[in-house]
Amino acid sequence: MEKYYKLVRDRIPEIIEAHGKTCICETISDEDYISLLDQKLNEELAEYQESKSLEELADLLEVMQAVVKARGWTLEELERVRADKAAKRGGFEKKILLKEVNEEC
């Protein structure tokens, strides 16, 4: 028996049972859900940083979308904030590395 305390995708219990195993799950509160989503963001980011795979990046995006919804925002709001920041401050296409800033006298 393996013990877990982690947020999993909706179909994971069904997949576990399809493999002839049983699992114990529960539906958690909104507060615990947001907390575990925040942990899941860190987990997925670490997995992407280790593998650099598109699949792990997709997992990170899935969790980000869940966080947006759980916090009562919409994906449209997220995109608007992203676009506004990009318009004001730019994106990352120019590959600029800031190395030093000097104070003017």
Side-chain angles (χ1 to χ4, degrees), residues 30-42:
D30 290 346
E31 183 178 313
D32 287 344
Y33 178 56
I34 290 173
S35 176
L36 289 172
L37 277 173
D38 288 343
Q39 288 178 28
K40 194 73 169 174
L41 272 175
N42 290 329

Side-chain angles (χ1 to χ4, degrees), residues 46-58:
E47 290 174 4
Y48 167 72
Q49 288 175 327
E50 183 177 315
S51 72
K52 304 294 192 258
S53 76
L54 187 60
E55 182 175 321
E56 291 301 341
L57 198 55

Side-chain angles (χ1 to χ4, degrees), residues 64-65 67-81:
M64 289 174 59
Q65 290 176 344
V67 169
V68 167
K69 292 175 187 174
R71 292 196 176 273
W73 302 317
T74 66
L75 296 175
E76 292 77 17
E77 288 173 305
L78 176 63
E79 175 55 23
R80 188 187 74 247
V81 170

Side-chain angles (χ1 to χ4, degrees), residues 2-99:
E2 292 185 59
K3 295 215 177 227
Y4 297 91
Y5 188 82
K6 68 185 268 183
L7 188 64
V8 295
R9 289 175 177 262
D10 296 341
R11 294 193 59 219
I12 293 302
E14 170 187 329
I15 292 167
I16 290 169
E17 291 175 0
H19 284 92
K21 300 178 184 178
T22 61
C23 60
I24 298 172
C25 301
E26 69 179 75
T27 301
I28 55 178
S29 69
D30 290 346
E31 183 178 313
D32 287 344
Y33 178 56
I34 290 173
S35 176
L36 289 172
L37 277 173
D38 288 343
Q39 288 178 28
K40 194 73 169 174
L41 272 175
N42 290 329
E43 175 189 323
E44 296 299 346
L45 178 58
E47 290 174 4
Y48 167 72
Q49 288 175 327
E50 183 177 315
S51 72
K52 304 294 192 258
S53 76
L54 187 60
E55 182 175 321
E56 291 301 341
L57 198 55
D59 288 345
L60 184 59
L61 181 58
E62 186 72 30
V63 176
M64 289 174 59
Q65 290 176 344
V67 169
V68 167
K69 292 175 187 174
R71 292 196 176 273
W73 302 317
T74 66
L75 296 175
E76 292 77 17
E77 288 173 305
L78 176 63
E79 175 55 23
R80 188 187 74 247
V81 170
R82 187 212 58 78
D84 288 349
K85 287 188 85 167
K88 291 176 186 165
R89 301 175 66 90
F92 294 94
E93 293 82 19
K94 293 182 181 179
K95 305 175 189 173
I96 298 170
L97 174 66
L98 179 64
K99 294 180 75 175

Side-chain angles (χ1 to χ4, degrees), residues 101-105:
V101 175
N102 295 307
E103 294 291 327
E104 293 294 321
C105 294

